[in-house]
Amino acid sequence: MAIPNFNVCHKLELLKEEGKSGDPKHQEGEGEEEEVQSYEFQEMLESLPKERGWRTRYLYLFQGFWCQSKEIQAIMSFQKHFKSLQNDVVLATIPKSGTTWLKALTFTVLNRHRFDPVFSTTDHPLLTSNPHDLVPFFEYKLYANGDVPDLSGLASPRTFATHVPFGSLKDSIEEPGVKVVYLCRNPFDTFISSWHYINNIKSEAVSPVSLEEGFDLYCRGVIGFGPFWEHMLGYWKESLRTPEKVLFLRYEDLKQDMESNLKKLASFLDVPFTEEEEQKGVVHSISDLCSFENLKKLEVNKSSKSIKNFENMHLFRKGEVSDWVNYLSPPQAERLSALVDDKLGGYGLTFRYN
Ligand code: PAP
């Protein structure tokens, strides 16, 4: 199978409307490339509540979650133009909860008859492509920069990814048979992973976010695609309401028992492992191929960029559960713990921290 290649049909008319309504304004965006925007978009942006951003000057409260202006443009384009098809698969996460891992696993499970993970020593796409190249994000790849991609040539099941909360995704995936896999990670590790990542990738023009400042923003819900509790709850509730449509997985469970979670994933996607495959070691091979240790050491994950401006190497830091204990003070841990209990405790959404 060729690695997906997405042709751009046309630019979203919302963007880059130079000449349509006078001089277009420029996006603020400390550390980001300047981009020409329409007055309509700029006006809409200015009407939104905003807070200090983590790697751009501002985060805006859009459709009830915090995100950057470029993400808003892409999400609007996605919401307007994307048409789901039966059997589409959408991988959903809040950033730093194991997106890269989930992409690797899902791609390998769905394509295992083309690319045998048991004999994958040299020719499996994961060995030469970062998982983000194999399963594209709606908002960072397909619909980024006002692009409207031609997705008609993609083989079924088409597999996509997103960070948007369920409320902003649901209208786009109404087609029967569309499946969503959500990967959730405990908020403590997700915060620490986000804090490291953002300070690694942010441009020098943006002042670093200290641990204290980042922690306070996180606890107030101000993080990309947050508040984290609303993101998690949206998918959690939907997984309880329509378990055939939304599968809710946990990072910590994958760490502890990859094989049974891989079986759960394959069954949910209607491609369960056969007994013969299990005996042949397919499940085990997928787990090995997608492991943190294996992916981290690959050249493509050490030296390339799959998403503009983001070096792949920063996607593979430690890959552990409970690294947060090395960073958060006891009062910080207490504050976050109380917040998690308060926001999620009543819904039966619990986490393991070791
Ligand atoms: P993204 O949302 O920007 O795509 P995402 O992949 O969700 O990032 O998160 C990266 C985290 O997943 C990192 O966690 P850490 O900072 O605590 O180390 C990264 O190490 C971890 N990760 C990446 N690949 C794997 C993997 N194969 N197995 C386990 N963890 C992984």
Side-chain angles (χ1 to χ4, degrees):
M1 186 192 81
I3 303 308
N5 184 18
F6 310 98
N7 297 322
V8 174
C9 289
H10 56 283
K11 293 272 174 192
L12 176 62
E13 55 275 20
L14 190 76
L15 306 176
K16 302 185 173 73
E17 293 182 310
E18 272 170 294
K20 185 174 173 194
S21 52
D23 282 342
K25 290 191 179 180
H26 284 86
Q27 172 184 326
E28 56 69 31
E30 204 182 354
E32 294 276 295
E33 280 168 47
E34 283 219 332
E35 186 164 312
V36 179
Q37 294 182 335
S38 70
Y39 275 113
E40 290 82 353
F41 183 80
Q42 194 67 30
E43 254 177 35
M44 190 278 293
L45 206 59
E46 280 167 14
S47 73
L48 299 176
K50 64 183 183 208
E51 284 263 6
R52 180 222 202 276
W54 289 61
R55 65 182 177 81
T56 50
R57 191 179 298 160
Y58 298 118
L59 279 177
Y60 298 88
L61 190 62
F62 172 72
Q63 297 182 354
F65 62 95
W66 293 98
C67 62
Q68 300 166 22
S69 60
K70 278 188 172 181
E71 293 163 348
I72 296 175
Q73 293 175 333
I75 292 164
M76 289 171 74
S77 175
F78 156 69
Q79 290 176 333
K80 182 170 179 185
H81 295 281
F82 178 72
K83 300 273 174 287
S84 60
L85 296 179
Q86 208 183 13
N87 299 331
D88 279 352
V89 175
V90 180
L91 309 181
T93 49
I94 196 162
K96 315 327 288 179
S97 21
T99 324
T100 315
W101 196 13
L102 181 64
K103 286 184 176 189
L105 292 166
T106 307
F107 177 88
T108 309
V109 166
L110 286 174
N111 293 285
R112 66 187 190 268
H113 299 302
R114 284 187 206 157
F115 304 113
D116 187 343
V118 180
F119 302 104
S120 62
T121 42
T122 52
D123 59 353
H124 196 283
L126 265 182
L127 301 176
T128 46
S129 303
N130 178 269
H132 289 294
D133 291 324
L134 301 175
V135 181
F137 276 117
F138 289 129
E139 61 273 14
Y140 294 118
K141 188 88 165 187
L142 299 176
Y143 294 89
N145 305 314
D147 291 350
V148 179
D150 176 5
L151 305 175
S152 59
L154 293 185
S156 177
R158 306 185 307 174
T159 312
F160 307 109
T162 189
H163 285 323
V164 303
F166 187 75
S168 294
L169 176 68
K170 66 178 187 332
D171 291 347
S172 306
I173 54 159
E174 275 181 342
E175 190 72 15
V178 177
K179 292 186 182 259
V180 177
V181 182
Y182 186 74
L183 183 59
C184 188
R185 187 181 194 187
N186 80 70
F188 289 69
D189 285 327
T190 308
F191 164 67
I192 292 299
S193 184
S194 303
W195 178 71
H196 276 290
Y197 186 71
I198 285 162
N199 280 327
N200 275 327
I201 62 158
K202 66 162 199 54
S203 95
E204 291 192 352
V206 183
S207 56
V209 181
S210 70
L211 188 75
E212 290 67 30
E213 188 181 9
F215 184 75
D216 186 60
L217 287 167
Y218 189 70
C219 290
R220 293 196 289 113
V222 185
I223 179 115
F225 303 92
F228 69 82
W229 55 88
E230 288 186 4
H231 202 282
M232 293 169 182
L233 269 185
Y235 286 96
W236 173 244
K237 287 181 184 169
E238 198 56 27
S239 74
L240 298 177
R241 202 178 71 81
T242 57
E244 69 292 346
K245 182 137 187 142
V246 180
L247 175 68
F248 193 95
L249 297 174
R250 288 172 169 82
Y251 182 98
E252 297 76 21
D253 292 346
L254 297 188
K255 273 276 169 192
Q256 190 183 46
D257 182 359
M258 170 53 85
E259 296 203 7
S260 74
N261 279 282
L262 264 178
K263 289 182 200 168
K264 202 191 277 184
L265 175 65
S267 298
F268 174 76
L269 296 174
D270 293 330
V271 287
F273 295 108
T274 62
E275 246 174 60
E276 194 190 338
E277 282 187 300
E278 287 192 38
Q279 278 162 12
K280 212 176 114 194
V282 173
V283 186
H284 188 74
S285 300
I286 294 176
S287 168
D288 278 356
L289 178 63
C290 301
S291 69
F292 177 83
E293 295 69 25
N294 188 49
L295 295 183
K296 187 181 169 82
K297 68 173 197 266
L298 298 172
E299 198 51 43
V300 65
N301 294 328
K302 286 199 280 196
S303 57
S304 308
K305 289 182 185 175
S306 294
I307 301 175
K308 198 175 161 208
N309 300 335
F310 300 169
E311 291 199 47
N312 292 344
M313 60 187 246
H314 297 309
L315 293 164
F316 304 92
R317 191 182 64 93
K318 277 194 176 174
E320 289 173 2
V321 177
S322 281
D323 185 40
W324 65 268
V325 299
N326 299 313
Y327 295 91
L328 296 186
S329 66
Q332 285 175 323
E334 269 173 42
R335 178 177 172 191
L336 186 51
S337 184
L339 183 66
V340 169
D341 283 351
D342 178 40
K343 300 291 186 187
L344 303 175
Y347 296 93
L349 178 50
T350 53
F351 300 96
R352 280 193 294 105
Y353 297 100
N354 50 44

